[in-house]
Amino acid sequence: MISVEGVTKSYGPIVAVDRVSFEVDRGEVLGFLGPNGAGKTTTMRMLTGTLQPDKGAISFDGVPIAAELTSAKSRVGYLPEANPLYDDMLVCEFLEYVARLRGLDADESPRAIGRAVEETGLADVFFRPIGEISKGYRQRTGMAGAILHEPEILVLDEPTEGLDPNQRVEIRKLVSSLGAERTVILSTHVMQEVEATCDRLLVISKGAIAADGTVTELMAAHRGVARYTVEAEGEGLEDGLAELPGVIGHASEPIDGRLRVHVEAAEGQELRPEISRLAADRGWVLWELRREQASLEQLFHELTMDQPDEAMAQPDETMDEEDGE
């Protein structure tokens, strides 16, 4: 449904997005991940038609959006990271305003608003001022505005940013339900949301695609190092563990008179039996022995660890200020 081909976007000398290409199938929920300043927001703005790429093309169903920009924009619902709401409006007034902006007529508007309110669970605050509702309800209001015109594509940029854990769970459920009937592109830093809602992940780092696939596929492709934690009392603990076959690295820290050693070994070689036997032979007292499960957070860190903290942050910050004006 969506095709991004060799898209590049620069802000002066800074290349925010560098020859990015990917596709999104109809009905797919795509998790779009990357550190701050990696180019996520710039890419999402190009997908919505808000920005035009310097090079490359974005197409919906094979038609470049630049060729029919107004039509393409009508197919997209967008919730930006800075949720643009008017605090002095009632929720109902805001949705009526969005309906007018979307060109819905007097007959369509009430039905569209009623459907969006039901989907996003806004009935309890429908007649309340936006400035008086919780952050969770504010995000729901933004989502209701984004789906009011029944878009085929929904682009959500950090929809749970700033929410408490309970609100995150509710918005996560909402995103899952919205994705049942739409193609969704979700940008987030919260890995639990990705695992719970996304069919596929796209990781961007320094403006380029670092990885693309399902969680299972990416974890399998980047597996290769097994990590163990050993906490024990005894002499020669760190040196003894370092001498085990397959160990490629280790680090230690003192814990209440004991030593906790973090061991890295080549994947495919199970060290726990070897460690247990070594502890028995040398008279160590084991307090803890566990093999750490590979996590999506670890994978994300490995794929983006070379991303400078402040790299390419300025373009998105500048654009946010312009949007605020």
Side-chain angles (χ1 to χ4, degrees):
M1 185 180 192
I2 303 171
S3 177
V4 178
E5 300 177 12
V7 165
T8 296
K9 182 67 178 178
S10 299
Y11 298 91
I14 299 174
V15 180
V17 177
D18 187 12
R19 292 168 293 179
V20 163
S21 298
F22 62 90
E23 295 182 347
V24 186
D25 292 334
R26 188 177 302 275
E28 189 172 27
V29 180
L30 177 71
F32 200 42
L33 309 180
N36 291 333
K40 300 190 306 298
T41 295
T42 296
T43 302
M44 297 178 93
R45 285 172 173 157
M46 289 190 286
L47 285 169
T48 63
T50 307
L51 290 177
Q52 295 302 309
D54 300 330
K55 298 178 182 177
I58 298 172
S59 303
F60 294 165
D61 291 325
V63 179
I65 65 173
E68 299 182 12
L69 191 56
T70 301
S71 174
K73 285 185 175 183
S74 70
R75 300 177 66 181
V76 180
Y78 180 36
L79 178 66
E81 183 178 1
N83 189 0
L85 301 175
Y86 296 95
D87 287 352
D88 55 343
M89 282 186 174
L90 304 180
V91 172
C92 59
E93 292 173 335
F94 173 76
L95 295 180
E96 289 167 357
Y97 176 58
V98 173
R100 291 199 301 274
L101 291 177
R102 283 294 183 180
L104 301 182
D105 61 31
D107 292 330
E108 294 176 303
S109 182
R111 288 196 296 269
I113 292 173
R115 183 173 54 248
V117 167
E118 182 178 358
E119 282 197 74
T120 56
L122 282 173
D124 290 343
V125 298
F126 188 61
F127 296 108
R128 289 181 59 185
I130 291 175
E132 296 180 5
I133 62 177
S134 69
K135 180 69 182 291
Y137 275 122
R138 291 174 68 91
Q139 292 299 88
R140 288 172 179 269
T141 301
M143 286 192 187
I147 66 173
L148 201 59
H149 59 299
E150 294 190 80
E152 302 167 68
I153 302 166
L154 191 57
V155 179
L156 306 175
D157 195 354
E158 301 288 350
T160 62
E161 185 69 22
L163 301 184
D164 65 37
N166 291 333
Q167 291 171 330
R168 285 181 182 273
V169 170
E170 291 304 314
I171 296 298
R172 193 182 306 158
K173 291 178 181 177
L174 176 57
V175 171
S176 294
S177 65
L178 294 176
E181 299 179 357
R182 300 171 179 88
T183 301
V184 178
I185 299 176
L186 169 68
S187 170
T188 181
H189 287 103
V190 183
M191 299 302 162
Q192 294 92 330
E193 290 169 12
V194 172
E195 294 181 285
T197 60
C198 297
D199 302 317
R200 180 172 136 235
L201 308 185
L202 200 67
V203 182
I204 186 169
S205 180
K206 293 182 284 188
I209 301 299
D212 182 0
T214 66
V215 173
T216 301
E217 289 170 346
L218 294 185
M219 294 298 290
H222 288 80
R223 210 170 272 133
V225 176
R227 295 176 175 85
Y228 300 84
T229 296
V230 183
E231 186 177 324
E233 297 176 51
E235 296 295 327
L237 181 63
E238 188 171 3
D239 291 340
L241 293 172
E243 293 169 0
L244 287 172
V247 172
I248 58 178
H250 61 88
S252 64
E253 56 183 323
I255 302 288
D256 297 329
R258 304 182 295 276
L259 196 64
R260 178 178 291 167
V261 183
H262 302 282
V263 178
E264 291 187 348
E267 182 70 33
Q269 185 167 0
E270 177 57 70
L271 288 186
R272 283 174 292 185
E274 297 294 332
I275 294 172
S276 296
R277 283 192 285 268
L278 184 62
D281 290 343
R282 300 200 178 184
W284 297 339
V285 179
L286 276 178
W287 286 70
E288 180 182 8
L289 170 57
R290 61 183 169 88
R291 177 171 173 158
E292 299 176 9
Q293 295 296 318
S295 68
L296 195 55
E297 286 87 352
Q298 290 173 342
L299 173 61
F300 178 81
H301 177 70
E302 291 173 8
L303 290 170
T304 62
M305 60 188 304
D306 292 330
Q307 171 79 49
D309 291 340
E310 297 181 0
M312 295 172 289
Q314 185 61 38
D316 281 352
E317 291 171 2
T318 302
M319 290 300 297
D320 287 340
E321 291 172 3
E322 291 174 358
D323 287 352
E325 293 172 4

